[in-house]
mmCIF file of all heavy atoms in Angstrom:
data_model
loop_
_atom_site.group_PDB
_atom_site.id
_atom_site.type_symbol
_atom_site.label_atom_id
_atom_site.label_comp_id
_atom_site.label_asym_id
_atom_site.label_seq_id
_atom_site.Cartn_x
_atom_site.Cartn_y
_atom_site.Cartn_z
ATOM 1 N N VAL A 48 111.871 86.851 108.505
ATOM 2 C CA VAL A 48 110.977 86.292 107.535
ATOM 3 C C VAL A 48 111.260 86.843 106.120
ATOM 4 O O VAL A 48 111.574 86.121 105.212
ATOM 5 C CB VAL A 48 109.495 86.525 107.906
ATOM 6 C CG1 VAL A 48 108.588 85.981 106.765
ATOM 7 C CG2 VAL A 48 109.191 85.913 109.236
ATOM 8 N N ALA A 49 111.181 88.178 106.021
ATOM 9 C CA ALA A 49 111.386 88.793 104.747
ATOM 10 C C ALA A 49 111.673 90.275 104.975
ATOM 11 O O ALA A 49 111.270 90.881 105.959
ATOM 12 C CB ALA A 49 110.186 88.636 103.847
ATOM 13 N N SER A 50 112.334 90.885 103.964
ATOM 14 C CA SER A 50 112.577 92.300 104.045
ATOM 15 C C SER A 50 112.586 92.920 102.603
ATOM 16 O O SER A 50 112.770 92.173 101.662
ATOM 17 C CB SER A 50 113.989 92.611 104.696
ATOM 18 O OG SER A 50 115.014 92.110 103.906
ATOM 19 N N ILE A 51 112.402 94.200 102.558
ATOM 20 C CA ILE A 51 112.370 94.923 101.266
ATOM 21 C C ILE A 51 112.965 96.308 101.417
ATOM 22 O O ILE A 51 112.592 96.974 102.407
ATOM 23 C CB ILE A 51 110.908 94.948 100.713
ATOM 24 C CG1 ILE A 51 110.914 95.624 99.359
ATOM 25 C CG2 ILE A 51 109.968 95.594 101.697
ATOM 26 C CD1 ILE A 51 109.583 95.405 98.616
ATOM 27 N N THR A 52 113.825 96.697 100.559
ATOM 28 C CA THR A 52 114.416 98.011 100.603
ATOM 29 C C THR A 52 113.512 99.012 99.906
ATOM 30 O O THR A 52 112.506 98.684 99.260
ATOM 31 C CB THR A 52 115.752 98.025 99.905
ATOM 32 O OG1 THR A 52 115.553 97.829 98.483
ATOM 33 C CG2 THR A 52 116.684 96.951 100.445
ATOM 34 N N ASP A 53 113.838 100.278 99.996
ATOM 35 C CA ASP A 53 112.992 101.335 99.417
ATOM 36 C C ASP A 53 113.135 101.352 97.886
ATOM 37 O O ASP A 53 112.308 102.001 97.233
ATOM 38 C CB ASP A 53 113.325 102.703 100.008
ATOM 39 C CG ASP A 53 114.786 103.067 99.883
ATOM 40 O OD1 ASP A 53 115.577 102.295 99.340
ATOM 41 O OD2 ASP A 53 115.119 104.131 100.383
ATOM 42 N N ASN A 54 114.111 100.576 97.336
ATOM 43 C CA ASN A 54 114.114 100.472 95.874
ATOM 44 C C ASN A 54 113.631 99.100 95.378
ATOM 45 O O ASN A 54 113.805 98.749 94.229
ATOM 46 C CB ASN A 54 115.516 100.764 95.333
ATOM 47 C CG ASN A 54 116.562 99.814 95.817
ATOM 48 O OD1 ASN A 54 116.244 98.794 96.440
ATOM 49 N ND2 ASN A 54 117.789 100.103 95.539
ATOM 50 N N GLY A 55 113.054 98.373 96.356
ATOM 51 C CA GLY A 55 112.328 97.124 95.961
ATOM 52 C C GLY A 55 113.118 95.822 96.029
ATOM 53 O O GLY A 55 112.568 94.785 95.642
ATOM 54 N N ALA A 56 114.320 95.883 96.486
ATOM 55 C CA ALA A 56 115.117 94.657 96.625
ATOM 56 C C ALA A 56 114.595 93.796 97.811
ATOM 57 O O ALA A 56 114.395 94.378 98.908
ATOM 58 C CB ALA A 56 116.569 94.989 96.854
ATOM 59 N N THR A 57 114.336 92.551 97.630
ATOM 60 C CA THR A 57 113.714 91.720 98.610
ATOM 61 C C THR A 57 114.643 90.569 99.045
ATOM 62 O O THR A 57 115.514 90.130 98.264
ATOM 63 C CB THR A 57 112.408 91.088 98.106
ATOM 64 O OG1 THR A 57 112.706 90.337 96.922
ATOM 65 C CG2 THR A 57 111.408 92.186 97.795
ATOM 66 N N THR A 58 114.460 90.089 100.250
ATOM 67 C CA THR A 58 115.146 88.889 100.742
ATOM 68 C C THR A 58 114.109 88.079 101.503
ATOM 69 O O THR A 58 113.177 88.653 102.106
ATOM 70 C CB THR A 58 116.310 89.226 101.706
ATOM 71 O OG1 THR A 58 115.839 89.955 102.832
ATOM 72 C CG2 THR A 58 117.407 90.026 101.000
ATOM 73 N N TYR A 59 114.321 86.787 101.536
ATOM 74 C CA TYR A 59 113.382 85.856 102.211
ATOM 75 C C TYR A 59 114.204 84.808 102.995
ATOM 76 O O TYR A 59 115.248 84.368 102.507
ATOM 77 C CB TYR A 59 112.477 85.157 101.182
ATOM 78 C CG TYR A 59 111.578 86.055 100.475
ATOM 79 C CD1 TYR A 59 111.943 86.586 99.229
ATOM 80 C CD2 TYR A 59 110.301 86.422 100.962
ATOM 81 C CE1 TYR A 59 111.110 87.425 98.533
ATOM 82 C CE2 TYR A 59 109.461 87.283 100.293
ATOM 83 C CZ TYR A 59 109.849 87.780 99.073
ATOM 84 O OH TYR A 59 108.991 88.612 98.385
ATOM 85 N N SER A 60 113.634 84.329 104.061
ATOM 86 C CA SER A 60 114.287 83.176 104.738
ATOM 87 C C SER A 60 113.897 81.925 103.994
ATOM 88 O O SER A 60 112.855 81.843 103.238
ATOM 89 C CB SER A 60 113.722 83.142 106.182
ATOM 90 O OG SER A 60 112.329 82.838 106.218
ATOM 91 N N GLU A 61 114.689 80.906 104.139
ATOM 92 C CA GLU A 61 114.447 79.684 103.433
ATOM 93 C C GLU A 61 113.087 79.026 103.677
ATOM 94 O O GLU A 61 112.427 78.537 102.732
ATOM 95 C CB GLU A 61 115.524 78.664 103.720
ATOM 96 C CG GLU A 61 116.842 78.935 102.988
ATOM 97 C CD GLU A 61 116.732 78.979 101.486
ATOM 98 O OE1 GLU A 61 115.996 78.092 100.956
ATOM 99 O OE2 GLU A 61 117.315 79.833 100.846
ATOM 100 N N PRO A 62 112.612 79.038 104.914
ATOM 101 C CA PRO A 62 111.329 78.350 105.178
ATOM 102 C C PRO A 62 110.139 79.005 104.441
ATOM 103 O O PRO A 62 109.131 78.333 104.267
ATOM 104 C CB PRO A 62 111.134 78.494 106.719
ATOM 105 C CG PRO A 62 112.539 78.652 107.250
ATOM 106 C CD PRO A 62 113.247 79.464 106.207
ATOM 107 N N VAL A 63 110.221 80.262 104.034
ATOM 108 C CA VAL A 63 109.078 80.933 103.445
ATOM 109 C C VAL A 63 109.292 81.209 101.953
ATOM 110 O O VAL A 63 108.351 81.607 101.280
ATOM 111 C CB VAL A 63 108.705 82.249 104.180
ATOM 112 C CG1 VAL A 63 108.583 81.999 105.656
ATOM 113 C CG2 VAL A 63 109.750 83.347 103.915
ATOM 114 N N LYS A 64 110.516 80.962 101.504
ATOM 115 C CA LYS A 64 110.784 81.312 100.086
ATOM 116 C C LYS A 64 109.863 80.560 99.150
ATOM 117 O O LYS A 64 109.699 79.329 99.286
ATOM 118 C CB LYS A 64 112.283 80.987 99.811
ATOM 119 C CG LYS A 64 112.837 81.642 98.557
ATOM 120 C CD LYS A 64 114.362 81.390 98.482
ATOM 121 C CE LYS A 64 115.098 82.180 99.527
ATOM 122 N NZ LYS A 64 116.568 82.033 99.421
#
Side-chain angles (χ1 to χ4, degrees):
V48 175
S50 65
I51 183 167
T52 68
D53 55 2
N54 62 9
T57 58
T58 60
Y59 296 93
S60 66
E61 283 301 320
V63 308
K64 199 173 288 185

